[in-house]
Structure formats: C-alpha cells, structure tokens
Amino acid sequence: MKRQSRSFEIALAALVCAVGAASLTLGSFVDFLLAMGYMIAVFALMVLLTKRLVRGYLLAYAGMVILAFLFTGFAMGIFQLLPFVAFFGLHPLANWLQREYTKKKPLHLLWFILKAVWFDLSLWLAWIVLQEFLGLTQMRWYAFVEENFFLLLFLGGTLVFAMYDYMIFLCQRAADGVMRRLRR
C-alpha cells in the first residue's frame, strides 16, 4: 500500500473531524438523534483507519470532542458526549489495533475481555454521572435497577457489547472494502 503524505492525512482528518463534530453537535441538540450522531462520528473515524492513518485518527477524535464541546456548551456537552469520549470514539481504534497486531486466537479473547470491561466501566461512569441529570431517580424501576445494578451492568452490558463489537468489526471491514474499490 502506498504511504499517504502528511498533508493528505491532515486534510482527511480535518474532513472527518468536521463531519463528526457536526453529527455530535446535532445529536446533542436533538435528543433522539444522539445515537445516530455517535454512529456517524464513529463511521467517519473509521475512514482514517482504512488508510492506516492512526495519527490522523487521534487528531480527528480530539478535534471532534473539542468542537462538539464548544458548539454545545461545556455544561450540556459533558453529559451528552461522555459516552463518546469515554468509549465509542476510541473503540474503533482498539478494534483496528486488535486486527492489525493480534494473530493468535487466545489473544483475541483477551482483547475482547479487556474491551468488555472497558465498556462496562464506561457504562458505570455514565450511570454515576447521568442518573441525577436525566432524572432517573424518580423512575418507577429505579429501585430494581439500583438493587441489581452490577448484575445488569456486567451481564447485560457484556452481552450488548459482544453484539456491538462484532458489528463494528463488520462495519470496518465494509469500510475497508469500499475504500479499496474507490482506489481503482
């Protein structure tokens, strides 16, 4: 594969940053689009990984987060962007590192366990920070969740993460295929 120039990497990172920041900002202002904003930002970041531009990925990620905080206001943005900052924005990079540098099956299992723990801890952080902000303490089911929190978190969170991780691997493979066809 031909090595990309630094100017190409910076330009592509800036484009990805703009798309991601716009989607995260729109998702922050329109509540039902927040998950879609996360997904668009994650897919935009995957474009950089198809060309093996890790520095550009980190630059675009940092730019997305900073711009989204500036556009949404730090007080509102911290609550809505916390899951993206803590997990979703860095997860494609972890998958790419796993795919590029891990060849043995037991190490893939170790990667999965580490990422699942990371996901569960990110959910726990989001729960701690967001339960008062979202008014979850007044919900009818709050007592049940509070009693069984760690069981729900680690069992349910890990099952959801297993599906999410598999889907993100498939999305990265599809993005790689699209970029390979575009090069011709």
Side-chain angles (χ1 to χ4, degrees):
M1 180 185 341
K2 184 178 121 180
R3 175 126 169 88
Q4 302 295 332
S5 68
R6 288 212 187 240
S7 59
F8 176 79
E9 182 174 6
I10 291 170
L12 188 58
L15 183 64
V16 165
C17 177
V19 168
S23 67
L24 289 173
T25 302
L26 180 64
S28 291
F29 285 122
V30 183
D31 289 336
F32 67 90
L33 293 179
L34 186 60
M36 185 60 70
Y38 282 10
M39 290 285 93
I40 291 171
V42 166
F43 292 153
L45 285 168
M46 284 182 187
V47 170
L48 291 162
L49 294 178
T50 63
K51 298 200 172 273
R52 305 175 57 97
L53 302 174
V54 177
R55 282 179 292 191
Y57 181 97
L58 294 173
L59 184 66
Y61 169 74
M64 271 184 208
V65 170
I66 290 168
L67 286 174
F69 278 140
L70 289 175
F71 292 152
T72 59
F74 191 76
M76 182 175 104
I78 191 88
F79 293 117
Q80 294 185 331
L81 298 176
L82 179 66
F84 182 81
V85 172
F87 180 77
F88 293 105
L90 295 171
H91 180 250
L93 181 63
N95 279 356
W96 183 81
L97 290 171
Q98 177 185 353
R99 194 178 76 188
E100 287 292 313
Y101 297 112
T102 306
K103 302 299 178 209
K104 297 183 180 182
K105 292 289 182 191
L107 292 177
H108 283 286
L109 180 62
L110 179 66
W111 269 98
F112 175 78
I113 291 169
L114 289 174
K115 290 187 302 183
V117 168
W118 176 29
F119 179 74
D120 291 341
L121 289 175
S122 298
L123 286 178
W124 189 18
L125 175 67
W127 176 260
I128 290 169
V129 171
L130 297 178
Q131 67 182 337
E132 286 296 324
F133 176 71
L134 296 176
L136 298 178
T137 56
Q138 283 78 34
M139 298 290 183
R140 224 184 280 161
W141 45 266
Y142 181 77
F144 173 77
V145 171
E146 197 62 32
E147 276 179 30
N148 304 309
F149 179 72
F150 289 105
L151 177 67
L152 292 171
L153 177 71
F154 291 115
L155 187 62
T158 305
L159 290 175
V160 168
F161 172 73
M163 293 183 297
Y164 175 77
D165 191 46
Y166 179 70
M167 293 299 188
I168 290 296
F169 269 119
L170 291 179
C171 291
Q172 183 66 52
R173 190 179 309 154
D176 291 343
V178 167
M179 293 306 280
R180 213 176 4 262
R181 282 191 298 262
L182 287 177
R183 279 187 220 146
R184 294 179 185 169

